[in-house]
Amino acid sequence: MKSRVLAALTAVASAAVVMVAAVPAAAHTSLIDVQPAEGETVAEGTTVALTFSEALLELGTEMIVTDATGESFSLVVERPQPEVVAAELPALAAGPVTVSWRVVAGDGHPIEGSLAYDFAADAGAGDDAGADDAEASGQATQDAGDQAAPPSASPTPTASTDVGTEDDSDGADGGLSWLVWLAIAAAVFAATAAGTLITRRR
C-alpha cells in the first residue's frame, strides 16, 4: 500500500514540475510587426508603430529616437490598440537614426529593442524648391537665353544598422503564475491525503 501511495505522490509531483516549466514559454510576448520596416527612409511626421503578440501593460512604455548627431528625443507614445504602441517622429538631422523602445508584457516581463532608419530632413520641402527652381530657370532661359540651373540632387539613403534584439533575459517574472500555484496545491493535497490514509491503515 505504501508503494502505491508513493507512486501516486511521485506522479503528482512530476506533473507539477512539467506545468512550472511550461508556463514561462506560454506567457512569452514578442514583437511581430514594425511599420515602417527597418531600414526604410523616414521623415518628420512619420509614425513608427510596433505590434506585439499579446496585449501590453501601459506602465513602463517608452520610445526614444537618436539622430545622426547623437542627440536623443523622447517620443510621445500612443496606444491605438492594447498590443500596439506608436510614436510620431519630430524634425531631426538628416542621416541614420535609431528608435529605441521599451514595453512591459501582460505578465509584467519587460521587453526592449531598437530599430534603425535613415532620416531625410525636409524631403518634401526640398522637392518643392527644386521644382520652383526649374520653373524659374526655364522662364529665364526663354526670356534671356540663360541656361537653366541643374536640379538639386535628392538625398541618398545610407545603409541601416542592425536591429536591436528583444531582451531575452527571463529575470524574475514577477512571481509564479496561478497555474504553478494550482500544481503546488494539488501536490500538497495529494501528500496530505496519502498521509491520512497511511495513518488510518495503521
Side-chain angles (χ1 to χ4, degrees):
M1 174 61 70
K2 290 184 179 180
S3 61
R4 293 181 179 178
V5 172
L6 291 176
L9 291 176
T10 301
V12 172
S14 299
V17 171
V18 171
M19 293 179 67
V20 170
V23 167
H28 190 64
T29 301
S30 59
L31 178 65
I32 59 175
D33 185 61
V34 177
Q35 293 296 332
E38 186 180 21
E40 291 189 5
T41 299
V42 294
E44 180 182 358
T46 298
T47 297
V48 177
L50 312 177
T51 303
F52 294 84
S53 57
E54 298 179 0
L56 305 171
L57 298 181
E58 294 187 8
L59 180 67
T61 301
E62 63 179 7
M63 295 178 69
I64 299 174
V65 60
T66 303
D67 66 11
T69 67
E71 189 172 2
S72 297
F73 304 88
S74 294
L75 304 180
V76 178
V77 180
E78 299 179 351
R79 299 284 300 265
Q81 295 179 13
E83 68 277 7
V84 178
V85 294
E88 185 176 296
L89 297 179
L92 301 169
V97 298
T98 301
V99 177
S100 301
W101 53 268
R102 183 183 186 277
V103 298
V104 180
D107 61 358
H109 181 70
I111 309 171
E112 58 185 17
S114 61
L115 302 165
Y117 295 102
D118 186 73
F119 193 88
D122 299 329
D127 292 342
D128 293 340
D132 292 341
D133 291 343
E135 182 178 355
S137 298
Q139 184 65 36
T141 300
Q142 180 177 357
D143 295 341
D146 295 336
Q147 183 176 359
S152 58
S154 59
T156 302
T158 61
S160 62
T161 57
D162 294 335
V163 187
T165 58
E166 176 183 329
D167 181 12
D168 292 331
S169 60
D170 289 334
D173 288 337
L176 297 177
S177 68
W178 67 273
L179 290 177
V180 177
W181 284 112
L182 180 61
I184 294 175
V188 172
F189 177 79
T192 303
T196 302
L197 180 59
I198 292 174
T199 302
R200 290 181 178 179
R201 291 286 183 180
R202 291 178 180 177

